[in-house]
Amino acid sequence: MGMLDGRVAIVTGAGRGIGAETAKLFASEGAKVVVNDLGGAVDGSGAAAAPADEVVAAIRDAGGEAVANYSSVADYNAAEGIVKDALDNFGDLDIVVNTAGILRDRMVFNMTEAEWDAVLDVHLKGHFNLTKYASIHWRSERKGHYRLINFSSVSGIFGAPGQPNYAAAKMGIVGFTYSCANALGRYGATANAISPGASTRMTDTVPEERRRAGSDIGDSSEEDPQRSPANVAVPLVYIASEESDWLNGQIVGASGYELQLFNKPAVIRQVRGTERWTTAGAAQQIEELFKPAVGGGGFYG
């Protein structure tokens, strides 16, 4: 008996990297898995069936159950078909893992509209698209123990300087996760975000200085076992299980052999007046109360 025995999961971006390791580990723990992957390049261009097919073949060879889906999560209408594949092939849907992503890195002053839109379409809109159709099923069935697992990033949490589109999408996913956690609990669903760290096709395209400044993980050596995407997949098994009903609306970090729980945004300094502030008065309070808390340097100062 595996921790996910009898459960049905959709894992997007599951043809490679963290998504592939998650799909295979879920299957080894008893889940029936829809392996979704467009099979495109890191920048989202192109498409191929081979990545998803290879993961499905590996799962089946190990005695598990899986089917492939090649749709883009950025396609609103196609997302309904991903959910339909789970229902048609396995009769239910318990778990959605939104792993699919692309990169089109550029400093903000050089970024094009197309580069901005493409990354937000896959990451932020992609999370919405699949979650919408999964939540329709969950709201209808109300069986409970449903799991929405989204993928954020320290690139958003700390603001990687060469990834304004990716950072914006990943912090948008945090807000989206909080909203889903508050909205879907009444139907028996939890929603949590993962901040991963591993060596993947995506992180290996990020220059070293950007990784140190807040991208997903440090150097790009694939020889270090702590850098394996398989490490990120391990805690997802518990989060996807029926035992994790208590965990909702949280950001969980998974990097190497380390697990983290991030705090939620909270007010750390506050001053309240009795009437509208003057500009001089507001400036004085900000300097006296806020500046010591910030340290004067911001993220990178």
Side-chain angles (χ1 to χ4, degrees), residues 9-295:
I10 295 171
V11 183
T12 71
R16 302 180 179 94
I18 296 170
E21 296 296 338
T22 299
K24 289 185 284 188
L25 187 57
F26 276 23
S28 74
E29 289 285 341
K32 301 170 184 177
V33 184
V34 176
V35 176
N36 163 263
D37 202 294
L38 177 67
V42 172
D43 66 359
S45 61
D53 286 344
E54 289 169 5
V55 172
V56 168
I59 289 172
R60 290 175 176 173
D61 288 347
E65 295 185 59
V67 295
N69 177 283
Y70 316 109
S71 299
S72 168
V73 295
D75 185 330
Y76 177 79
N77 294 319
E80 184 175 16
I82 303 174
V83 171
K84 189 174 185 298
D85 271 358
L87 300 179
D88 288 350
N89 285 278
F90 303 127
D92 208 347
L93 175 60
D94 303 288
I95 304 157
V96 169
V97 184
N98 283 309
T99 317
I102 66 170
L103 287 179
R104 294 195 184 181
D105 288 356
R106 195 87 64 183
M107 295 300 287
V108 66
F109 40 78
N110 290 325
M111 182 161 287
T112 67
E113 181 182 15
E115 289 165 340
W116 175 271
D117 288 348
V119 169
L120 265 73
D121 278 353
V122 173
H123 288 275
L124 190 53
K125 185 182 177 185
H127 273 61
F128 161 72
N129 288 344
L130 185 53
T131 301
K132 174 189 172 171
Y133 291 109
S135 67
I136 290 172
H137 173 69
W138 295 340
R139 182 170 178 257
S140 172
E141 296 294 317
R142 305 193 188 203
K143 184 183 70 174
H145 306 303
Y146 300 126
R147 301 290 179 257
L148 174 63
I149 302 175
N150 295 328
F151 267 67
S152 184
S153 169
V154 293
S155 296
I157 295 169
F158 297 114
Q163 298 181 306
N165 48 2
Y166 185 72
K170 289 306 187 182
M171 279 306 285
I173 287 166
V174 170
F176 178 69
T177 301
Y178 290 161
S179 177
C180 290
N182 288 324
L184 300 180
R186 69 190 68 182
Y187 309 118
T190 64
N192 293 285
I194 304 300
S195 176
S199 178
T200 67
R201 289 192 311 159
M202 289 176 61
T203 59
D204 290 347
T205 67
V206 179
E208 178 68 19
E209 64 273 13
R210 289 190 198 164
R211 294 193 200 98
R212 290 197 300 267
S215 191
D216 281 318
I217 200 167
D219 67 70
S220 60
S221 169
E222 295 182 356
E223 299 177 359
D224 184 354
Q226 293 193 59
R227 299 285 320 280
S228 171
N231 297 325
V232 178
V234 174
L236 301 192
V237 173
Y238 174 75
I239 296 172
S241 75
E242 294 187 2
E243 306 303 315
S244 65
D245 280 334
W246 61 271
L247 185 66
N248 192 31
Q250 304 298 323
I251 305 174
V252 176
S255 177
Y257 306 150
E258 187 173 284
L259 298 176
Q260 304 160 328
L261 181 65
F262 285 78
N263 69 303
K264 291 185 177 181
V267 175
I268 58 173
R269 293 288 190 276
Q270 179 174 306
V271 58
R272 180 173 296 162
T274 57
E275 58 186 8
R276 180 184 297 172
W277 292 101
T278 65
T279 54
Q284 180 183 357
Q285 294 297 330
I286 290 170
E287 288 237 339
E288 289 181 359
L289 293 177
F290 296 176
K291 190 174 182 180
V294 172

